[in-house]
mmCIF file of all heavy atoms in Angstrom:
data_model
loop_
_atom_site.group_PDB
_atom_site.id
_atom_site.type_symbol
_atom_site.label_atom_id
_atom_site.label_comp_id
_atom_site.label_asym_id
_atom_site.label_seq_id
_atom_site.Cartn_x
_atom_site.Cartn_y
_atom_site.Cartn_z
ATOM 1 N N ARG A 63 29.360 -28.918 130.355
ATOM 2 C CA ARG A 63 30.134 -29.867 129.559
ATOM 3 C C ARG A 63 30.689 -29.118 128.150
ATOM 4 O O ARG A 63 31.424 -29.727 127.564
ATOM 5 C CB ARG A 63 29.415 -31.081 129.191
ATOM 6 C CG ARG A 63 28.072 -30.914 128.454
ATOM 7 C CD ARG A 63 27.188 -32.079 128.354
ATOM 8 N NE ARG A 63 26.035 -31.963 127.623
ATOM 9 C CZ ARG A 63 25.932 -32.313 126.359
ATOM 10 N NH1 ARG A 63 26.992 -32.831 125.707
ATOM 11 N NH2 ARG A 63 24.832 -32.194 125.690
ATOM 12 N N LEU A 64 30.157 -27.983 127.854
ATOM 13 C CA LEU A 64 30.686 -27.256 126.681
ATOM 14 C C LEU A 64 31.873 -26.411 126.964
ATOM 15 O O LEU A 64 32.328 -25.657 126.085
ATOM 16 C CB LEU A 64 29.560 -26.471 126.094
ATOM 17 C CG LEU A 64 28.285 -27.226 125.589
ATOM 18 C CD1 LEU A 64 27.288 -26.325 124.954
ATOM 19 C CD2 LEU A 64 28.773 -28.283 124.468
ATOM 20 N N ILE A 65 32.333 -26.311 128.197
ATOM 21 C CA ILE A 65 33.323 -25.400 128.701
ATOM 22 C C ILE A 65 34.605 -25.847 127.932
ATOM 23 O O ILE A 65 35.009 -26.942 127.939
ATOM 24 C CB ILE A 65 33.605 -25.383 130.074
ATOM 25 C CG1 ILE A 65 32.460 -24.819 130.915
ATOM 26 C CG2 ILE A 65 34.950 -24.699 130.556
ATOM 27 C CD1 ILE A 65 32.442 -24.900 132.467
ATOM 28 N N ASN A 66 35.276 -24.894 127.267
ATOM 29 C CA ASN A 66 36.556 -25.161 126.614
ATOM 30 C C ASN A 66 37.680 -24.780 127.542
ATOM 31 O O ASN A 66 38.023 -23.724 127.734
ATOM 32 C CB ASN A 66 36.710 -24.314 125.345
ATOM 33 C CG ASN A 66 37.891 -24.695 124.514
ATOM 34 O OD1 ASN A 66 39.052 -24.899 125.033
ATOM 35 N ND2 ASN A 66 37.733 -24.774 123.211
ATOM 36 N N TRP A 67 38.307 -25.777 128.185
ATOM 37 C CA TRP A 67 39.318 -25.557 129.243
ATOM 38 C C TRP A 67 40.574 -24.811 128.760
ATOM 39 O O TRP A 67 41.221 -24.150 129.521
ATOM 40 C CB TRP A 67 39.528 -26.904 129.981
ATOM 41 C CG TRP A 67 38.335 -27.391 130.729
ATOM 42 C CD1 TRP A 67 37.591 -28.410 130.440
ATOM 43 C CD2 TRP A 67 37.696 -26.803 131.809
ATOM 44 N NE1 TRP A 67 36.486 -28.587 131.226
ATOM 45 C CE2 TRP A 67 36.689 -27.568 132.180
ATOM 46 C CE3 TRP A 67 37.973 -25.697 132.671
ATOM 47 C CZ2 TRP A 67 35.754 -27.293 133.237
ATOM 48 C CZ3 TRP A 67 37.168 -25.451 133.784
ATOM 49 C CH2 TRP A 67 36.050 -26.311 133.993
ATOM 50 N N LYS A 68 41.040 -25.228 127.614
ATOM 51 C CA LYS A 68 42.257 -24.593 127.030
ATOM 52 C C LYS A 68 41.976 -23.049 126.858
ATOM 53 O O LYS A 68 42.850 -22.288 127.126
ATOM 54 C CB LYS A 68 42.632 -25.326 125.730
ATOM 55 C CG LYS A 68 43.173 -26.673 125.892
ATOM 56 C CD LYS A 68 43.602 -27.221 124.497
ATOM 57 C CE LYS A 68 44.212 -28.673 124.798
ATOM 58 N NZ LYS A 68 44.733 -29.170 123.457
ATOM 59 N N ALA A 69 40.914 -22.757 126.187
ATOM 60 C CA ALA A 69 40.511 -21.330 125.983
ATOM 61 C C ALA A 69 40.272 -20.660 127.421
ATOM 62 O O ALA A 69 40.644 -19.519 127.489
ATOM 63 C CB ALA A 69 39.237 -21.281 125.113
ATOM 64 N N THR A 70 39.791 -21.377 128.234
ATOM 65 C CA THR A 70 39.577 -20.787 129.681
ATOM 66 C C THR A 70 40.792 -20.439 130.325
ATOM 67 O O THR A 70 41.034 -19.299 130.886
ATOM 68 C CB THR A 70 38.758 -21.802 130.534
ATOM 69 O OG1 THR A 70 37.418 -21.944 130.006
ATOM 70 C CG2 THR A 70 38.621 -21.265 131.856
ATOM 71 N N ALA A 71 41.821 -21.359 130.142
ATOM 72 C CA ALA A 71 43.194 -21.143 130.768
ATOM 73 C C ALA A 71 43.870 -19.882 130.176
ATOM 74 O O ALA A 71 44.446 -19.140 130.752
ATOM 75 C CB ALA A 71 44.001 -22.402 130.715
ATOM 76 N N LYS A 72 43.811 -19.758 128.725
ATOM 77 C CA LYS A 72 44.485 -18.660 128.077
ATOM 78 C C LYS A 72 43.719 -17.350 128.368
ATOM 79 O O LYS A 72 44.476 -16.384 128.588
ATOM 80 C CB LYS A 72 44.342 -18.970 126.607
ATOM 81 C CG LYS A 72 45.270 -20.057 126.130
ATOM 82 C CD LYS A 72 45.217 -20.312 124.636
ATOM 83 C CE LYS A 72 46.097 -21.402 124.161
ATOM 84 N NZ LYS A 72 45.944 -21.653 122.679
ATOM 85 N N ALA A 73 42.444 -17.395 128.428
ATOM 86 C CA ALA A 73 41.751 -16.072 128.678
ATOM 87 C C ALA A 73 41.514 -15.674 130.167
ATOM 88 O O ALA A 73 41.153 -14.548 130.421
ATOM 89 C CB ALA A 73 40.396 -16.153 127.987
ATOM 90 N N ASN A 74 41.823 -16.679 131.086
ATOM 91 C CA ASN A 74 41.621 -16.426 132.534
ATOM 92 C C ASN A 74 40.122 -16.220 132.778
ATOM 93 O O ASN A 74 39.982 -15.452 133.742
ATOM 94 C CB ASN A 74 42.633 -15.306 132.958
ATOM 95 C CG ASN A 74 42.781 -15.440 134.521
ATOM 96 O OD1 ASN A 74 42.683 -16.534 135.104
ATOM 97 N ND2 ASN A 74 43.072 -14.303 135.123
ATOM 98 N N ARG A 75 39.273 -16.665 132.065
ATOM 99 C CA ARG A 75 37.836 -16.611 132.321
ATOM 100 C C ARG A 75 37.138 -17.774 131.668
ATOM 101 O O ARG A 75 37.695 -18.263 130.692
ATOM 102 C CB ARG A 75 37.188 -15.296 131.895
ATOM 103 C CG ARG A 75 37.261 -14.995 130.465
ATOM 104 C CD ARG A 75 36.709 -13.669 130.157
ATOM 105 N NE ARG A 75 36.731 -13.311 128.797
ATOM 106 C CZ ARG A 75 37.659 -12.780 128.082
ATOM 107 N NH1 ARG A 75 38.888 -12.360 128.739
ATOM 108 N NH2 ARG A 75 37.626 -12.571 126.791
ATOM 109 N N LEU A 76 35.965 -18.117 132.121
ATOM 110 C CA LEU A 76 35.287 -19.314 131.464
ATOM 111 C C LEU A 76 34.936 -19.008 130.043
ATOM 112 O O LEU A 76 34.274 -18.033 129.787
ATOM 113 C CB LEU A 76 34.095 -19.637 132.337
ATOM 114 C CG LEU A 76 34.374 -20.302 133.721
ATOM 115 C CD1 LEU A 76 32.948 -20.514 134.473
ATOM 116 C CD2 LEU A 76 34.985 -21.708 133.518
ATOM 117 N N MET A 77 35.255 -19.911 129.275
ATOM 118 C CA MET A 77 34.925 -19.832 127.787
ATOM 119 C C MET A 77 34.231 -21.211 127.435
ATOM 120 O O MET A 77 34.540 -22.299 127.909
ATOM 121 C CB MET A 77 36.115 -19.742 126.921
ATOM 122 C CG MET A 77 36.943 -18.514 127.323
ATOM 123 S SD MET A 77 36.255 -16.940 127.044
ATOM 124 C CE MET A 77 36.265 -16.860 125.225
ATOM 125 N N VAL A 78 33.248 -21.147 126.507
ATOM 126 C CA VAL A 78 32.520 -22.302 126.180
ATOM 127 C C VAL A 78 32.424 -22.327 124.581
ATOM 128 O O VAL A 78 32.523 -21.321 123.876
ATOM 129 C CB VAL A 78 30.994 -22.351 126.677
ATOM 130 C CG1 VAL A 78 30.990 -22.338 128.120
ATOM 131 C CG2 VAL A 78 30.293 -21.031 126.185
ATOM 132 N N ASN A 79 32.287 -23.654 124.167
ATOM 133 C CA ASN A 79 32.168 -23.851 122.759
ATOM 134 C C ASN A 79 30.634 -23.576 122.345
ATOM 135 O O ASN A 79 29.740 -23.974 123.058
ATOM 136 C CB ASN A 79 32.558 -25.337 122.311
ATOM 137 C CG ASN A 79 33.954 -25.598 122.548
ATOM 138 O OD1 ASN A 79 34.869 -24.677 122.391
ATOM 139 N ND2 ASN A 79 34.385 -26.789 122.877
ATOM 140 N N GLN A 80 30.488 -22.988 121.121
ATOM 141 C CA GLN A 80 29.263 -22.778 120.677
ATOM 142 C C GLN A 80 28.964 -23.513 119.284
ATOM 143 O O GLN A 80 29.877 -23.490 118.456
ATOM 144 C CB GLN A 80 28.993 -21.206 120.384
ATOM 145 C CG GLN A 80 27.456 -20.832 120.146
ATOM 146 C CD GLN A 80 27.261 -19.363 120.162
ATOM 147 O OE1 GLN A 80 28.168 -18.550 119.932
ATOM 148 N NE2 GLN A 80 25.967 -18.987 120.307
ATOM 149 N N PHE A 81 27.839 -24.156 119.338
ATOM 150 C CA PHE A 81 27.473 -24.904 118.121
ATOM 151 C C PHE A 81 26.287 -24.396 117.424
ATOM 152 O O PHE A 81 25.456 -23.733 118.015
ATOM 153 C CB PHE A 81 27.255 -26.494 118.534
ATOM 154 C CG PHE A 81 28.426 -27.067 119.125
ATOM 155 C CD1 PHE A 81 28.760 -26.976 120.534
ATOM 156 C CD2 PHE A 81 29.397 -27.817 118.382
ATOM 157 C CE1 PHE A 81 29.856 -27.507 121.051
ATOM 158 C CE2 PHE A 81 30.470 -28.406 118.937
ATOM 159 C CZ PHE A 81 30.746 -28.225 120.278
ATOM 160 N N GLN A 82 26.130 -24.750 116.162
ATOM 161 C CA GLN A 82 24.980 -24.250 115.312
ATOM 162 C C GLN A 82 24.436 -25.425 114.603
ATOM 163 O O GLN A 82 25.088 -26.520 114.577
ATOM 164 C CB GLN A 82 25.403 -23.273 114.425
ATOM 165 C CG GLN A 82 26.411 -23.753 113.318
ATOM 166 C CD GLN A 82 26.712 -22.672 112.224
ATOM 167 O OE1 GLN A 82 26.210 -21.559 112.252
ATOM 168 N NE2 GLN A 82 27.693 -23.064 111.273
#
Side-chain angles (χ1 to χ4, degrees):
R63 61 192 181 93
L64 297 181
I65 293 175
N66 187 319
W67 294 108
K68 288 184 179 180
T70 295
K72 289 180 180 179
N74 200 28
R75 62 180 183 274
L76 285 175
M77 306 292 290
V78 295
N79 294 327
Q80 189 170 23
F81 297 87
Q82 64 180 357

